[in-house]
Amino acid sequence: MSDSVNYKFRFITNQPEGALTGLPGVALNVTDLRVKVRRSETLTELKCESSCGLTNLPFYVWYNKGQVMGEKTASVQVSVKKGDRYSCSVKGNTNYHSPSVYAPKLLSVMVRFPDELTEGRSVMFKCNSEANPAAKYTWKKENNQTVLSQNQTFVLSSVLSVDSGQFYCTAENDLGERTSKRVYIDVKYAPRPPSVKVTPSSEIMEGSLLTLTCSSDANPEAKYTWYKEREDSPTASGPNFTISSIIYQQGGNYYCQAQNIIGSSGTVLNVKVVPGNVKSGCNYLVFCCKHKNIVFIVCQDYSCVI
């Protein structure tokens, strides 16, 4: 059909301005034979159409996968099965078949993204299928029925951590549909601000076991380093930091740093240690004293509170 244009002959001589074109030329009109598809809930109707000026009411020959189905009228109803390919020709001109119509096949998916897919970068998905009539495309994410796109090409312009997962496309026309394999993207991101759990959660008495647990959401998984205030070298590494028998001088600010190849984040926790033989309160005040900038209240039973 694309050859239906106006053709002209032109010749060129070796003389200046010695080129001539035959006008008005010759118009070539190419007619075609095609199958129109209309689908209902139970059956599919095929109609053979021609742009030729056919005289009378011609009969048509129908084919499925190249095999003759029989001589029929211009319209037939079929129950489409996997692999079916329908075409038609006009009786008496069976050498000229229409192009075959068929459900989508050879579905492939392409995904493009940077070598290191981090938050804020873009991802492009493209779905390809051979089909006639042309397929319509739908993009979805695994375990989510929300339609993300109805274009052949789908772009996530600024990915987030929640975009990690499997994506797939469906190609569909009036003869059937086909779903692609899943393609997986893994979005990397720096550690989120860590949270720290303290055990025991109540008063930390001198001599008791203290465990600090640091956790952070990160991809790839974060590594943890512990620092104590005013100390340059790390105190410990790993998500858990344990002091088996804590002493008063080990109280203070502790810093947990979570780090991966994308970046790092940290949080500060203040650990308060109650000195030995200190109670939470007393009924009878005897006197106050001060030692190393700490004020103690001495009770009648000679116990103390800070």
Side-chain angles (χ1 to χ4, degrees):
M1 292 295 294
S2 62
D3 293 320
S4 298
V5 292
N6 200 45
Y7 290 86
K8 301 173 184 178
F9 178 78
R10 179 177 175 84
F11 67 89
I12 302 172
T13 72
N14 60 358
Q15 300 300 314
E17 301 181 358
L20 294 174
T21 301
L23 296 175
V26 178
L28 176 64
N29 295 313
V30 181
T31 59
D32 70 334
L33 194 65
R34 60 187 179 274
V35 176
K36 297 294 288 291
V37 182
R38 186 173 65 182
R39 183 171 63 181
S40 65
E41 292 184 1
T42 56
L43 291 174
T44 301
E45 182 184 60
L46 307 179
K47 185 176 182 180
C48 195
E49 294 183 346
S50 174
S51 57
C52 300
L54 299 176
T55 57
N56 301 322
L57 291 175
F59 273 88
Y60 296 85
V61 180
W62 285 92
Y63 308 84
N64 184 12
K65 293 182 283 190
Q67 302 299 313
V68 176
M69 295 170 56
E71 296 180 8
K72 301 178 183 295
T73 58
S75 296
V76 294
Q77 288 187 330
V78 295
S79 180
V80 182
K81 299 179 179 63
K82 184 177 180 180
D84 285 350
R85 295 174 65 96
Y86 296 98
S87 61
C88 65
S89 66
V90 178
K91 183 179 179 181
N93 292 276
T94 54
N95 290 332
Y96 301 99
H97 288 208
S98 72
S100 296
V101 292
Y102 47 92
K105 63 175 186 175
L106 299 175
L107 194 62
S108 64
V109 175
M110 179 186 71
V111 56
R112 286 184 180 175
F113 54 83
D115 292 338
E116 193 68 63
L117 181 57
T118 56
E119 285 187 316
R121 307 297 293 271
S122 65
V123 180
M124 184 187 77
F125 303 87
K126 187 173 183 180
C127 197
N128 289 302
S129 175
E130 182 185 340
N132 188 27
K136 295 180 180 180
Y137 297 91
T138 302
W139 281 97
K140 293 182 180 179
K141 190 177 181 182
E142 188 76 9
N143 301 322
N144 188 342
Q145 292 306 304
T146 302
V147 175
L148 301 174
S149 175
Q150 291 183 311
N151 296 319
Q152 186 176 6
T153 300
F154 165 48
V155 177
L156 286 172
S157 58
S158 182
V159 295
L160 302 172
S161 60
V162 294
D163 292 321
S164 291
Q166 298 186 83
F167 294 80
Y168 65 94
C169 74
T170 299
E172 182 179 12
N173 66 11
D174 285 333
L175 291 167
E177 67 177 40
R178 189 158 185 168
T179 299
S180 73
K181 65 179 183 180
R182 273 55 174 166
V183 290
Y184 180 73
I185 65 169
D186 186 23
V187 181
K188 304 289 196 298
Y189 52 96
R192 307 304 193 217
S195 61
V196 178
K197 178 183 177 182
V198 183
T199 307
S201 58
S202 57
E203 286 184 340
I204 303 170
M205 299 296 297
E206 193 172 24
S208 63
L209 172 69
L210 172 69
T211 301
L212 305 179
T213 303
C214 191
S215 61
S216 173
D217 180 24
N219 187 20
E221 185 177 345
K223 295 182 178 180
Y224 301 92
T225 307
W226 293 90
Y227 296 89
K228 191 175 186 301
E229 187 179 25
R230 298 189 181 91
E231 293 183 5
D232 295 331
S233 300
T235 302
S237 61
N240 297 318
F241 171 41
T242 300
I243 301 176
S244 58
S245 181
I246 194 167
I247 62 175
Y248 178 75
Q249 289 78 5
Q250 289 177 302
N253 290 330
Y254 286 83
Y255 177 76
C256 170
Q257 182 187 54
Q259 185 172 17
N260 63 13
I261 59 173
I262 309 301
S264 64
S265 184
T267 191
V268 175
L269 174 74
N270 182 257
V271 175
K272 294 181 179 179
V273 181
V274 178
N277 299 321
V278 173
K279 293 184 178 180
S280 60
C282 59
N283 295 324
Y284 301 100
L285 174 64
V286 177
F287 60 87
C288 294
C289 62
K290 186 175 183 181
H291 177 65
K292 293 184 178 180
N293 295 322
I294 301 174
V295 177
F296 294 89
I297 301 173
V298 180
C299 304
Q300 191 175 27
D301 60 357
Y302 300 105
S303 62
C304 299
V305 294
I306 297 176

